[in-house]
């Protein structure tokens, strides 16, 4: 049974690290005022998601930007 207990505590620690990582990413996106504008686009959503996932990397100089274009509807 000791193996199962170690595995459970390890997965719990990984979960906590991932949650803290994402919270730091949300803080970075909020500091960059990504949640202020009501206008959304593919590029804005992508930038916010990458900023949240990049998390603490933003504080060491990473500044992710996403540039995408959606196909225009046919007439």
């Amino acid at each position: 049974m000791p193996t199962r207990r170690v595995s459970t505590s390890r997965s719990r620690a990984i979960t906590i690290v991932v949650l803290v990582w994402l919270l730091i990413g949300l803080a970075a996106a909020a500091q960059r005022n990504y949640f202020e504008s009501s206008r959304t686009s593919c590029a804005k959503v992508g930038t916010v998601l990458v900023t949240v996932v990049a998390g603490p990397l933003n504080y060491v100089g990473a500044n992710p930007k996403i540039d995408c274009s959606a196909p225009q509807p046919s007439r």
Side-chain angles (χ1 to χ4, degrees):
M1 283 298 202
T3 307
R4 177 168 247 150
R5 192 173 294 151
V6 169
S7 176
T8 303
S9 64
R10 185 177 298 149
S11 65
R12 199 172 279 159
I14 291 171
T15 300
I16 290 170
V17 168
V18 168
L19 287 175
V20 168
W21 182 277
L22 293 175
L23 286 173
I24 292 171
L26 283 171
Q31 284 179 344
R32 293 169 185 233
N33 297 320
Y34 288 161
F35 303 118
E36 296 295 319
S37 175
S38 62
R39 200 182 91 204
T40 56
S41 67
C42 174
K44 179 147 180 145
V45 170
T47 300
V48 170
L49 289 176
V50 169
T51 301
V52 170
V53 171
L57 298 176
N58 289 290
Y59 293 110
V60 294
N63 187 11
K65 296 280 183 192
I66 300 295
D67 184 29
C68 60
S69 59
Q72 299 297 319
S74 59
R75 294 180 190 201

